[in-house]
Amino acid sequence: MADLGEPGSYLTLERKTPVFSSDGEEVGRVERIAEAPDADIFDGFVLRPAAAGADRYVKAEQIDEMRKLEVI
């Protein structure tokens, strides 16, 4: 996992952004963002896993760091 840019937020998070575990392994990609930007609310996102399996929901409090090009 390389340093992929400046810190970001849910406002800069885009579909297909790679998501990494804390040990640097890519676990999937952002599929859909749960947000209400007018109210400045970010609840989390739907993760499309890198390996076969069903999409899963990642709550905002499970996210350690958001950068412009990656989520940890």
Side-chain angles (χ1 to χ4, degrees):
M1 178 174 58
D3 179 15
L4 294 175
E6 297 291 319
S9 75
Y10 75 93
L11 297 172
T12 61
L13 188 61
E14 295 183 8
R15 187 172 176 269
K16 305 263 186 200
T17 299
V19 180
F20 294 91
S21 65
S22 59
D23 64 357
E25 181 180 342
E26 185 174 340
V27 295
R29 303 265 172 159
V30 173
E31 182 61 27
R32 186 172 49 83
I33 303 161
E35 63 179 325
D38 293 339
D40 197 27
I41 296 172
F42 170 68
D43 191 55
F45 60 84
V46 174
L47 174 76
R48 172 76 35 99
D55 291 355
R56 71 179 200 110
Y57 190 74
V58 178
K59 295 179 182 179
E61 55 267 12
Q62 294 175 291
I63 300 167
D64 288 331
E65 183 177 358
M66 268 194 254
R67 301 190 80 65
K68 287 192 177 184
L69 301 175
E70 68 182 1
V71 177
I72 302 170

